[in-house]
Amino acid sequence: MNTYLIPINEGDGPYIKKIVAKSENDVKEKLYYYFFNKYDFLEGDSLDDIIQQLFDFGIDVGDIYDIEELS
């Protein structure tokens, strides 16, 4: 299992979401469901669709980083 970090800014200030996953595809799926369950207004079949909708509502989602890359 790897730890992934995703910077997010929802207007209340930026934070870093930490997700433990087996692969980058797994972290993308977990991030998709995290946002989908958090916001009622989201529709879409892919993380890219969700991120675009969030951006349109003023929520910025940064790139996914494997914590190993940062050390």
Side-chain angles (χ1 to χ4, degrees):
M1 299 289 264
N2 294 336
T3 302
Y4 295 88
L5 304 174
I6 304 99
I8 300 170
N9 186 358
E10 296 179 313
D12 295 338
Y15 66 95
I16 296 176
K17 174 75 177 155
K18 178 178 91 171
I19 297 178
V20 177
K22 295 180 225 172
S23 66
E24 193 167 326
N25 285 337
D26 189 29
V27 75
K28 287 179 180 180
E29 183 176 337
K30 288 181 177 187
L31 190 59
Y32 171 85
Y33 285 109
Y34 168 75
F35 286 129
F36 199 78
N37 290 323
K38 187 171 181 175
Y39 299 103
D40 297 356
F41 60 84
L42 295 175
E43 299 176 356
D45 295 332
S46 73
L47 181 59
D48 291 335
D49 292 342
I50 296 291
I51 288 174
Q52 183 58 52
Q53 289 174 50
L54 290 169
F55 182 77
D56 293 342
F57 280 91
I59 300 168
D60 295 320
V61 179
D63 294 332
I64 298 170
Y65 296 97
D66 186 335
I67 200 166
E68 300 267 330
E69 295 174 2
L70 303 176
S71 53

